[in-house]
Amino acid sequence: MARKAKPERADVCIIGAGASGAAAAKVLTERGLGVVGLERGPWRTKETFGGDELANVNRYNLWPDPLLNPRTVRTSADEEARIELFCPVPQMVGGGTVHWQGWLPRFTENDFRPRTVIGDLPGATLADWSITYADLEPYYDKVEWAFGVSGAAGANVYESPRTRGYPCPPMPMSRYAKKFHAGCAALGYNSFPTPQAALSRPFNGRPATVVSAFAQQHGDPTGTRSSALNVFIPDAVATGRYDLRPDSYVRELTVDALGRVASAVYADADGDLVEQEADVFVLACGAVESARLLLLSRSGRYPNGLANGSDLVGRNVTFHEYSAAVGLFDDPIYAWAGGGYVSASSFQFYEHDDSRGFASGGHIACAGVGIPLPINWSLPDRPLWGPEAKRMDREYFNHSMAVAMVVHDMPQHDNRVDLDEKVTDAWGLPAARITLTPHPNDLAMGRWLIDRNAEILDAAGAHKTYRVYIDRITGNCSHQHGTTRMGDDPETSVLDRDCRAHEVDNLFVVDGGPFPTATGANPTLTIMANAWRVAERIADGHSAPGR
């Protein structure tokens, strides 16, 4: 690789331009700082989405190509790791928000103090967060109003206090949402419209979101979806202080004589090496890739990886797991319609309850297909091919719906991300290796929640119900947390409460890596809110006297 001349030094260098990196870029540039953004993937526009939609699912149009960007997985340190597309996130400007359904529930007050609420759970490394819901609530509000989130404040009776309501009313109700509400009501459960990163009405100069079956796992050819690509990136670019460089693959972070980060070394779109210097560095690569970059950044001062004197970088990783109960109805449901934009949820089983026999709980919601592929393709009694498979497709396609749940998988010290020295990517760098053993609590929670989901479908009038239980964490979800845990004690955490590395005072991490626990809800709203909070701290410190 040739090495190009160093570009001008930046105030802040953000590595990653997904949900967290884009949120931080918006805040920092609007506060007057010059920001260089280094994004590994392309910067795509709405015109490049659409067309052959199945390409998005099957031909790595949005997902990382495992031939170029392999990731390996094993269930224990004694097992040979296998290459697998585990917990993939689109590597492009906008990140996972390019393909999401945009479910944006807030965490609850108790999510920030699981050790206090649950107590000791053998085999798990439960820890209270070093910040509280009250610390984050103003930033939840900022993100919701920047995105124009559609929802109904107060409809979730378990939600924690809010500064104000949602900027837009709920999205229109689908047939499957009506079924879900009816089933919950029959059982005496609270349900509510899922808060969505979509506009139910024109907002802040943007038109209402076009509701399409092609939502999850697809880009938005209309440009009306609320996402980092459509909201935060344009906001940052509009300041004139955001130099976003796509197709820039960061290989390592170098350090100076004081042990601070000096530069990010990356391969640009031409394959040449570039060294970008900055005062402050912010990692926003996703929990897996941020940990990998820190571990790749070995030096004489940090022989085990940057900021890894505690050997905690990559540990306590959690991923969530989606699973569902599926119900078949006599009347048509059209679960493919709306792509999940018009969903409904319940936190009825979200908070911890000792009487259940397991710790914590999870968010449940009704689900459209979203890809779109038939829900019945996941049913255990459907053949993969032949006349019976075709019959089930014809008879079930418009008559099936799912009630899905998020498993709050428990953090464990030996569940980790490290480097696989036997497998390298297309740039010759070791792949991220994930070691993941499910905690018995994960499986017990998953089974119990699936049973509750099936009961809701039965109560809604399903004439047949399937339970799809989990026996492991498969990586079928794009939620990553925990590899750079935040905390007040450098012996038990990588970052402080402001997500600054304990060992490196100009290094911050703002993706899901800082989360001490996964919680039972979709994390992206909290990731963006926390990134906004941390960016304000960085801006305050950069403008402090003496700098």
Side-chain angles (χ1 to χ4, degrees):
M1 292 183 179
R3 185 177 287 268
K4 292 183 176 178
K6 289 183 182 179
E8 183 179 348
R9 183 183 182 91
D11 294 326
V12 181
C13 177
I14 302 175
I15 302 169
S20 60
K26 167 187 167 64
V27 174
L28 290 166
T29 55
E30 290 179 348
R31 289 285 298 269
L33 276 67
V35 174
V36 168
L38 302 176
E39 167 55 45
R40 182 173 179 172
W43 188 353
R44 295 181 58 175
T45 63
K46 64 182 182 181
E47 290 79 13
T48 69
F49 300 123
D52 182 2
E53 294 292 352
L54 286 180
N56 291 327
V57 179
N58 297 324
R59 302 176 198 161
Y60 311 114
N61 194 0
L62 293 182
W63 300 113
D65 186 335
L67 298 177
L68 300 177
N69 299 283
R71 182 171 289 169
T72 66
V73 185
R74 59 185 182 176
T75 56
S76 73
D78 299 326
E79 179 182 306
E80 187 71 20
R82 61 193 180 276
I83 296 176
E84 191 172 303
L85 194 63
F86 187 96
C87 194
V89 176
Q91 295 174 343
M92 61 183 64
V93 174
T97 70
V98 172
H99 80 111
W100 67 350
Q101 290 178 324
W103 293 1
L104 293 183
R106 293 185 177 195
F107 292 175
T108 68
E109 291 175 301
N110 282 341
D111 277 327
F112 296 87
R113 51 193 199 102
R115 184 60 183 260
T116 296
V117 172
I118 297 169
D120 180 53
L121 182 64
T125 53
L126 283 176
D128 289 345
W129 293 43
S130 52
I131 60 174
T132 66
Y133 175 86
D135 292 328
L136 213 53
E137 198 283 330
Y139 301 98
Y140 279 140
D141 182 78
K142 290 176 187 290
V143 174
E144 288 167 350
W145 281 77
F147 267 34
V149 173
S150 296
N156 174 10
V157 299
Y158 301 100
E159 74 177 358
S160 296
R162 312 174 53 89
T163 299
R164 55 180 168 171
Y166 289 101
C168 295
M171 296 292 285
M173 193 178 300
S174 63
R175 289 186 179 224
Y176 51 90
K178 291 178 181 177
K179 290 289 188 185
F180 181 82
H181 286 306
C184 286
L187 296 170
Y189 300 158
N190 173 251
S191 60
F192 57 92
T194 306
Q196 301 274 176
L199 305 180
S200 59
R201 61 176 178 83
F203 177 80
N204 199 25
R206 297 170 53 222
T209 298
V210 174
V211 178
S212 168
F214 292 93
Q216 186 170 348
Q217 302 190 43
H218 296 80
D220 174 20
T222 73
T224 60
R225 180 186 300 173
S226 293
S227 68
L229 178 64
N230 293 339
V231 178
F232 288 157
I233 294 294
D235 286 351
V237 170
T239 67
R241 290 184 283 270
Y242 187 35
D243 181 0
L244 177 55
R245 302 174 193 163
D247 300 305
S248 298
Y249 183 4
V250 179
R251 300 174 58 92
E252 80 172 302
L253 300 175
T254 70
V255 295
D256 62 19
L258 299 176
R260 307 176 84 238
V261 182
S263 67
V265 178
Y266 68 94
D268 67 9
D270 298 324
D272 296 327
L273 288 181
V274 183
E275 185 174 5
Q276 177 63 55
E277 297 179 339
D279 297 337
V280 175
F281 290 81
V282 179
L283 298 192
C285 312
V288 172
E289 292 300 322
S290 284
R292 177 177 177 239
L293 178 57
L294 292 173
L295 295 172
L296 286 170
S297 300
R298 292 172 286 209
S299 64
R301 188 177 186 108
Y302 301 106
N304 297 320
L306 186 60
N308 195 31
S310 62
D311 187 36
L312 289 174
V313 170
R315 293 192 182 272
N316 302 299
V317 67
T318 51
F319 290 101
H320 280 165
E321 180 75 9
Y322 279 133
S323 191
V326 178
L328 303 178
F329 291 81
D330 291 328
D331 53 323
I333 303 298
Y334 305 124
W336 50 268
Y341 280 138
V342 281
S343 183
S345 298
S346 177
F347 268 31
Q348 187 75 32
F349 311 113
Y350 190 80
E351 297 287 356
H352 173 70
D353 184 341
D354 280 328
S355 68
R356 298 177 193 151
F358 60 85
S360 191
H363 169 211
I364 64 174
C366 63
V369 188
I371 298 176
L373 292 174
I375 285 176
N376 52 279
W377 282 16
S378 67
L379 300 182
D381 63 354
R382 180 193 179 275
L384 296 179
W385 58 278
E388 180 62 11
K390 293 178 181 179
R391 182 194 67 81
M392 292 181 71
D393 285 349
R394 286 193 300 269
E395 296 182 10
Y396 291 3
F397 182 67
N398 285 328
H399 295 266
S400 57
M401 64 171 282
V403 177
M405 55 84 183
V406 173
V407 168
H408 177 186
D409 51 322
M410 295 293 109
Q412 301 176 72
H413 181 74
D414 290 333
N415 281 355
R416 66 184 302 188
V417 175
D418 65 358
L419 301 179
D420 193 327
E421 302 292 350
K422 297 180 180 179
V423 178
T424 58
D425 65 13
W427 292 263
L429 299 177
R433 178 175 59 189
I434 297 163
T435 305
L436 190 68
T437 302
H439 192 284
N441 196 85
D442 305 343
L443 306 184
M445 178 193 300
R447 188 173 188 88
W448 192 90
L449 286 174
I450 288 299
D451 286 342
R452 304 293 80 74
N453 292 356
E455 290 167 0
I456 291 171
L457 288 165
D458 289 337
H463 65 77
K464 188 172 184 179
T465 304
Y466 296 85
R467 290 164 165 83
V468 184
Y469 296 118
I470 66 167
D471 57 6
R472 62 190 177 98
I473 304 299
T474 66
N476 72 351
C477 185
S478 296
H479 303 169
Q480 309 173 3
H481 337 77
T483 58
T484 53
R485 175 177 279 195
M486 71 165 80
D488 296 326
D489 183 357
E491 297 296 317
T492 59
S493 58
V494 178
L495 312 172
D496 67 15
R497 70 186 317 271
D498 288 333
C499 298
R500 183 199 305 258
H502 290 300
E503 300 176 26
V504 186
D505 68 5
N506 70 333
L507 174 65
F508 296 79
V509 184
V510 295
D511 47 41
F515 287 19
T517 50
T519 85
N522 300 53
T524 310
L525 174 63
T526 300
I527 289 172
M528 293 187 292
N530 187 56
W532 196 309
R533 179 186 71 90
V534 172
E536 286 193 353
R537 301 296 189 278
I538 293 171
D540 290 343
H542 203 276
S543 61
R547 286 198 63 87

